[in-house]
């Protein structure tokens, strides 16, 4: 039973190698080389962590840009329950949800009359999508400008600044990071309370 | 489709093509024990592992002993994973204080990761500790890939050798897979992913106060180290529930490009290794060509289907056409940074291979967009396919192709100067039939079974109550689940609640059948081929390196797949496609109690 002996020894040795040595080595290297990314790309404001630039968060106030609908958790953007709606294209619930959100969006954004961008009212795969398409941000500019009492042009300029093109002009799609954009807003045009 | 989308797909294919030969050549040298440029650096580790494990590097094994080694090692590591999940509450690196997983879930997960399926009935964020992720799950990402690679190499030796009794040594092949291929690429790849934003730490979950004053708990963990081998080993089990859609697993469009490249590089390289080892690289390129045709065909069905979107939502008022500032198409269940092209490409690649990672939710794809991933799995994941298993799966179809060609002209079929006889064809057909029986049999069972409500076996009651969608799409969820399990894929139409003893157990059996009842007949076939004498090429030999053979091979793959699965597919995605065009909607009559994953 030579193979049985090898099996037992290999199971122990290789489990330690790939299950402990390898991840701990990578953790050490990652912490040394890419400290910020390895620890979650957290965003600090005045020494307080307000979130991660990679993890979307829930926005409902008119003076902030709102992210996409999220199926993560009951209220959305629950980082402990990442995931999509998993509603199929012929599901009544999907169509009902989009219709309800559409009515709400039109009511909240009377200043915008254009077509609804494809990503704006569809829920993301992770439920934590940190981004909007530039068109979906544009659709909210009038509302944000009104809520902050500044001309739409200045808000538009911030959106343009925050818009990332395709990575290296090539990969993926153009996008706007919602949390970073909202932080820009608070810095440039704070809401008077 | 957009010009940029097509360009990204073309670029992906060209990079893959460019990497095929160098990696294939490197693997040839590694598995034939020749010196490579990393010999000085890595050979001492290889020798040390042989010493520690008691492996005799020079010993050769008959196919039965080779298969025996695979089974023993798989069972032993399966037990470790089962145990770790059951006792994780007493072990370190569990900052959230997570309790033990249930017995049926632990069985399902252990089987799932051992068989390279990585189906996940659980929500990782709230179920598994960091230690379980590392020594229970990430280890299998390495082991199942190394086992697959070893088995693939053994099958190649079956074709390459003649008048031989042995297929190599499983322990040596597996060790070399780890030392020379999987570990070095993983260390480099993990760091690349971290540079893009994937996390790698052992901190407790972060609690942050959001801009609007709510508290958000953000999970942390050793993610990148697991993520890279999840893709390279074609495993697919996510560190987080949302898998490669989660920004901490797959933060940027470039990390996404890198991830899908990781899925295909080993199986693509293996086609070259195959050609090199049978001493005719044209044979390898013919296999590569057949795989590429099927791959690109799938991409150019799924991509346009997703880009043309959901007509029902268009009617409601959602913009469907892509513009410079928004993606258009069906964005339900997709991420903005990936858009339509990269989500469609990822879905096709992850199911061509037996990966099962997802960067978009397949359940929310359009019917035709979701049909391709489903069919890819049912064809046997031979379009590049799993590590090793993709190649031996395609070689199985190559054997069937020459057999059919032989029948047509009335000659004894030959492949690579070996007579293909009764035993080889029997073993090849056995594999095809086992897969079909498992997928269709279990899907039927999973569609019609009723259990007492709130009982132990399936608390929702009827299995249809586990679904998240009604109508044909609900049936697709069940069919996809068992296709994914049998095919060792692990992706899902994830609305289905499969974390019940009924689904956990039947899925576990499907995964076992799909892995070992495929691998063992193939090794038997390889053993029989290795023992054969070589016969000289004559004027009557059907050449297996030309375009005629490639077309025949693609045809056989599609005909076998279509004949077997067309009836089931027409009840699911095909009928749904026509109903969607008609604007038909289905409401959920039963309350499924939705569980993510």
């Amino acid at each position: 039973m030579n193979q049985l002996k090898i099996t037992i020894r290999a199971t122990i040795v290789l489990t330690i190698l790939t299950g402990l040595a390898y991840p701990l080595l990578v953790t050490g290297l990652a912490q040394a080389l890419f400290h910020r990314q390895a620890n979650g790309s957290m965003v600090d404001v005045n020494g307080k962590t307000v979130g991660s630039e990679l993890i979307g968060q829930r926005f409902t106030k008119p003076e902030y840009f709102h992210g996409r609908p999220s199926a993560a958790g009951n209220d959305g953007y629950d980082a402990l329950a990442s995931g999509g709606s998993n509603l199929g294209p012929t599901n009544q619930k999907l169509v009902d949800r989009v219709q309800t959100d559409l009515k709400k969006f039109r009511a909240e954004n009377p200043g915008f009359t254009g077509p609804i961008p494809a990503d704006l009212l569809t829920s993301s795969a992770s439920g934590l999508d940190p981004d909007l398409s530039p068109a979906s941000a544009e659709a909210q500019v009038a509302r944000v400008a009104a809520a902050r009492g500044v001309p739409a042009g200045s808000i538009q300029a911030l959106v343009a600044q925050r818009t990332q093109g395709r990575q290296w002009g090539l990969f993926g799609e153009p996008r706007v990071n919602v949390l970073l954009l909202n932080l820009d807003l608070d810095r440039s045009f704070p809401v008077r309370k | 489709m957009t010009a940029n989308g097509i360009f990204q797909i073309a670029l992906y294919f060209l990079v893959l093509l460019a990497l095929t030969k160098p990696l294939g050549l490197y693997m040839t040298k590694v598995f034939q024990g020749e010196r490579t440029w990393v010999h000085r650096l890595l050979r001492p580790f290889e020798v040390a592992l042989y010493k520690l494990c008691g492996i005799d590097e020079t010993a050769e094994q008959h196919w039965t002993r080779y298969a025996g080694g695979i089974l023993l090692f798989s069972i032993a590591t399966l037990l470790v994973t089962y145990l770790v999940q059951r006792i994780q509450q007493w072990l370190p690196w569990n900052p959230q204080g997570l309790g033990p997983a249930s017995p049926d879930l632990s069985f399902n997960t252990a089987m799932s990761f051992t068989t390279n399926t990585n189906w996940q009935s659980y929500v990782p964020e709230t179920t598994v500790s960091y230690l379980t992720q590392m020594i229970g799950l990430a280890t299998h990402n390495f082991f199942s890939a190394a086992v697959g690679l070893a088995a693939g190499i053994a099958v190649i030796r079956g074709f390459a050798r003649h008048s031989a009794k042995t297929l190599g040594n499983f322990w040596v092949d597996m060790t070399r897979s780890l030392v020379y291929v999987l570990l070095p690429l993983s260390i480099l790849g993990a760091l690349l992913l971290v540079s893009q934003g994937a996390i790698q730490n052992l901190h407790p979950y972060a609690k942050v106060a959001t801009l609007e004053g709510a508290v958000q708990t953000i999970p942390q963990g050793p993610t990148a180290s697991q993520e890279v081998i999840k893709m390279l080993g074609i495993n697919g089990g996510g560190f987080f529930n949302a898998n490669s859609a989660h920004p901490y697993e797959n933060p940027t469009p470039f990390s996404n490009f890198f991830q899908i490249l990781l899925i295909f590089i080993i199986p693509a390289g293996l086609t070259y290794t195959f050609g090199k080892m049978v001493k005719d690289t044209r044979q390898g390129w013919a296999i590569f060509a057949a795989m590429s045709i099927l791959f690109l065909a799938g991409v150019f069905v799924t991509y346009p289907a997703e880009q043309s979107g959901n007509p029902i939502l268009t009617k409601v008022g959602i913009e469907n056409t892509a513009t410079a500032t928004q993606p258009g198409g069906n964005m339900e269940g997709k991420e903005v940074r990936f858009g339509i092209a990269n989500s469609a490409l990822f879905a096709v690649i992850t199911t061509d291979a037996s990966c099962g990672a997802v960067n978009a939710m397949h359940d929310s794809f359009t019917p035709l967009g979701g049909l391709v991933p489903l069919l890819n799995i049912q064809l046997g994941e031979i379009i590049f396919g799993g590590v090793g298993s993709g190649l031996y799966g395609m070689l199985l179809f190559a054997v069937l192709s020459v057999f059919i060609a032989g029948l047509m002209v009335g000659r004894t079929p030959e492949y690579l100067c070996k007579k293909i006889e009764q035993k080889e064809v029997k073993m090849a057909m056995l594999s095809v039939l086992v897969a079909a029986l498992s997928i269709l049999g279990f899907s039927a069972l999973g569609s019609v079974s009723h259990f007492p409500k709130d009982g132990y076996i399936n608390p929702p009651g009827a299995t249809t109550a586990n679904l998240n969608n009604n109508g044909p799409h609900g049936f697709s969820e069940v069919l996809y689940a068992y296709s994914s399990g049998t095919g060792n894929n692990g992706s899902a139409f994830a609305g289905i609640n499969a974390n019940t003893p009924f689904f956990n157990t039947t899925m576990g059996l499907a995964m076992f059948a799909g892995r070992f009842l495929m691998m063992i007949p193939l090794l038997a076939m390889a053993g029989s081929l290795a023992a054969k004498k070589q016969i000289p090429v004559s004027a009557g030999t059907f050449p297996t390196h030309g375009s005629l053979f490639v077309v025949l091979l693609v045809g056989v793959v599609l005909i076998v797949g279509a004949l077997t699965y067309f009836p089931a597919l027409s009840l699911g995605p095909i009928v749904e496609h026509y109903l969607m065009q008609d604007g038909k909607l289905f409401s959920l009559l039963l309350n499924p109690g939705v569980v993510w994953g």
Side-chain angles (χ1 to χ4, degrees):
Chain A
M1 283 324 283
N2 180 28
Q3 291 228 86
L4 200 58
K5 270 190 215 150
I6 300 179
T7 302
I8 294 168
R9 287 165 72 169
T11 301
I12 297 168
V13 170
L14 298 179
T15 298
I16 292 170
L17 175 69
T18 59
L20 288 174
Y22 160 74
L24 295 180
L25 171 73
V26 172
T27 307
L29 289 171
Q31 289 288 337
L33 294 170
F34 307 105
H35 190 75
R36 182 169 181 273
Q37 290 98 316
N39 293 316
S41 304
M42 296 300 178
V43 181
D44 292 338
V45 175
N46 305 327
K48 259 184 67 189
T49 305
V50 296
S52 160
E53 69 170 83
L54 291 175
I55 305 292
Q57 44 181 259
R58 190 159 168 259
F59 289 102
T60 52
K61 295 184 181 164
E63 67 265 27
Y64 284 124
F65 283 91
H66 303 171
R68 305 171 65 196
S70 159
N74 292 329
D75 299 326
Y77 292 99
D78 178 353
L80 290 175
S82 63
S85 71
N86 287 313
L87 296 173
T90 55
N91 196 320
Q92 182 79 49
K93 272 200 202 163
L94 171 69
V95 178
D96 289 351
R97 191 200 76 207
V98 172
Q99 268 171 334
T100 311
D101 287 351
L102 181 62
K103 253 185 226 146
K104 190 164 158 252
F105 184 82
R106 290 291 186 200
E108 289 175 352
N109 296 274
F112 176 77
T113 50
I116 300 291
D119 60 308
L120 184 58
L121 300 180
T122 46
S123 65
S124 63
S126 63
L128 303 172
D129 196 337
D131 301 316
L132 281 174
S133 69
S136 292
E138 179 66 36
Q140 304 180 44
V141 163
R143 182 196 75 229
V144 174
R148 292 191 182 248
V150 292
S154 1
I155 304 287
Q156 233 148 13
L158 279 189
V159 173
Q161 246 174 42
R162 260 302 153 205
T163 302
Q164 289 174 272
R166 296 197 164 89
Q167 199 172 6
W168 308 326
L170 197 64
F171 294 113
E173 301 293 332
R175 57 208 167 105
V176 184
N177 186 298
V178 182
L179 175 63
L180 296 182
L181 176 61
N182 285 335
L183 284 169
D184 289 348
L185 282 175
D186 278 353
R187 238 189 329 267
S188 307
F189 310 108
V191 186
R192 263 164 268 142
K193 284 180 188 154
Chain B
M1 296 190 285
T2 65
N4 177 274
I6 294 171
F7 182 72
Q8 291 191 51
I9 292 166
L11 179 73
Y12 172 79
F13 185 70
L14 290 177
V15 172
L16 181 73
L17 184 65
L19 289 173
T20 297
K21 184 175 167 182
L23 187 68
L25 202 58
Y26 173 74
M27 287 194 290
T28 311
K29 287 187 179 164
V30 164
F31 289 106
Q32 295 188 338
E34 295 165 23
R35 277 183 85 95
T36 57
W37 57 281
V38 287
H39 186 89
R40 273 221 187 135
L41 186 66
L42 297 178
R43 174 71 187 168
F45 285 101
E46 185 193 354
V47 175
L49 285 177
Y50 292 149
K51 268 210 189 111
L52 284 170
C53 304
I55 297 164
D56 175 7
E57 195 186 351
T58 55
E60 284 267 330
Q61 292 178 315
H62 185 254
W63 80 263
T64 48
R65 286 191 65 79
Y66 201 103
I70 288 178
L71 280 177
L72 280 174
F73 183 65
S74 299
I75 292 166
T77 50
L78 180 141
L79 291 176
V80 171
T81 298
Y82 180 85
L83 192 70
V84 170
Q85 293 176 85
R86 300 284 296 140
I87 60 170
Q88 66 174 3
Q89 68 279 21
W90 298 317
L91 299 175
W93 282 316
N94 184 3
Q96 302 311 115
L98 299 166
S102 71
D104 59 291
L105 177 62
S106 302
F107 162 73
N108 181 283
T109 306
M111 185 60 88
S112 169
F113 278 72
T114 305
T115 56
N116 198 263
T117 309
N118 307 65
W119 172 268
Q120 295 167 290
S121 283
Y122 58 92
V123 176
E125 290 93 321
T126 50
T127 314
V128 284
S129 72
Y130 295 161
L131 187 81
T132 305
Q133 295 268 26
M134 293 194 297
I135 72 166
L137 306 179
T139 49
H140 277 293
N141 287 356
F142 282 102
F143 299 158
S144 63
V147 164
L149 193 47
I153 294 292
V155 170
I156 295 177
R157 289 198 190 107
F159 286 97
R161 291 179 177 181
H162 54 91
S163 317
K165 287 199 179 71
T166 59
L167 292 178
N169 182 319
F170 163 66
W171 303 102
V172 172
D173 289 338
M174 186 190 60
T175 307
R176 287 182 181 159
S177 303
L178 287 173
V179 171
Y180 290 100
V181 183
L182 301 172
L183 275 167
L185 282 172
S186 293
I187 293 170
L188 297 176
L191 292 176
L192 197 145
L193 287 177
V194 177
S195 79
Q196 294 296 301
I199 58 173
Q200 181 72 27
N201 62 56
L202 294 165
H203 305 321
Y205 294 3
K207 269 198 170 50
V208 302
T210 67
L211 283 197
E212 292 201 349
V215 174
Q216 192 183 32
T217 305
I218 305 178
Q220 300 292 311
T223 307
S225 58
Q226 187 158 339
E227 186 68 15
V228 65
I229 187 61
K230 158 195 153 199
M231 310 310 283
L232 183 66
I234 318 191
N235 296 278
F239 194 91
F240 299 111
N241 194 41
N243 208 297
S244 281
H246 197 291
Y248 274 166
E249 287 195 19
N250 193 3
T252 66
F254 176 68
S255 70
N256 187 69
F257 183 85
F258 181 62
Q259 292 203 352
I260 46 182
L261 202 58
L262 284 177
I263 301 181
F264 266 1
I265 50 171
I266 292 182
L270 271 181
T271 61
Y272 190 84
T273 304
F274 168 69
K276 200 76 189 161
M277 283 175 73
V278 301
K279 298 199 170 56
D280 181 359
T281 47
R282 294 173 307 174
Q283 303 286 350
W285 287 117
I287 299 284
F288 182 92
M291 290 173 167
S292 300
I293 290 169
L294 289 163
F295 161 57
L296 292 171
V299 172
F300 286 102
V301 173
T302 295
Y303 180 27
E306 291 307 302
Q307 189 68 66
S308 47
N310 182 347
I312 302 173
L313 290 188
T314 314
K315 222 175 268 171
V316 172
I318 304 297
E319 177 65 47
N320 205 18
T321 318
T323 65
T325 53
Q326 58 93 30
N330 174 25
M331 279 301 285
E332 179 71 19
K334 295 190 179 67
E335 300 278 298
V336 169
R337 61 192 181 283
F338 306 139
I340 303 286
N342 284 305
S343 301
L345 182 63
F346 197 115
V348 172
I349 289 170
T350 195
T351 50
D352 277 341
S354 67
C355 185
V358 294
N359 78 346
M361 294 302 146
H362 295 182
D363 214 349
S364 297
F365 272 36
T366 61
L368 292 186
L371 169 74
V372 172
L374 185 51
L375 182 63
N376 279 339
I377 298 173
Q378 292 169 339
L379 292 179
E381 291 155 339
I382 45 158
I383 308 168
F384 296 102
V387 176
S389 62
L391 184 75
Y392 65 63
M394 194 50 128
L395 291 177
L396 173 163
F397 278 101
V399 165
L400 289 181
S401 299
V402 294
F403 174 66
I404 288 168
L407 288 182
M408 288 194 278
V409 295
R411 262 182 69 98
T412 308
E414 294 163 18
Y415 187 50
L416 305 169
C417 302
K418 298 276 179 64
K419 275 203 173 99
I420 301 298
E421 290 167 305
Q422 206 188 20
K423 176 154 187 201
E424 288 77 45
V425 177
K426 264 190 190 162
M427 289 299 147
M429 278 317 294
L430 184 63
S431 288
V432 173
L433 291 174
V434 164
L437 188 70
S438 173
I439 291 174
L440 297 174
F442 279 126
S443 294
L445 195 68
S447 303
V448 299
S449 297
H450 286 258
F451 299 97
K453 202 166 158 47
D454 299 321
Y456 175 73
I457 299 176
N458 197 46
T463 47
T464 46
N466 296 47
L467 304 176
N468 189 39
N469 289 281
N470 231 348
H473 200 86
F475 174 69
S476 299
E477 284 185 343
V478 178
L479 183 64
Y480 199 104
Y482 288 107
S483 300
S484 175
T486 307
N488 296 151
N489 188 275
S491 67
F493 273 19
I496 189 170
N497 165 18
N499 189 9
T500 68
F502 172 77
F503 278 101
N504 278 335
T505 311
T506 50
M507 286 290 296
L509 294 173
M511 293 187 264
F512 177 84
R515 177 74 165 180
F516 296 109
L517 301 185
M518 303 281 286
M519 188 186 279
I520 292 169
L522 260 296
L523 284 171
M525 182 173 98
S528 144
L529 283 169
K532 285 179 194 256
K533 284 199 189 79
Q534 234 173 350
I535 45 169
V537 177
S538 71
T541 306
F542 175 48
T544 53
H545 55 256
S547 49
L548 184 62
F549 175 73
V550 172
V551 172
L552 182 73
L553 180 56
V554 169
V556 168
V557 167
L558 289 177
I559 290 166
V560 170
L563 285 179
T564 316
Y565 299 107
F566 182 75
L569 290 172
S570 48
L571 292 175
I574 295 176
V575 72
E576 192 192 7
H577 171 72
Y578 290 106
L579 293 171
M580 180 183 79
Q581 298 300 330
D582 235 22
K584 171 96 180 120
L585 289 172
F586 294 88
S587 16
L588 213 55
L589 302 173
L590 303 153
N591 175 15
V594 179
V595 170
W596 306 112

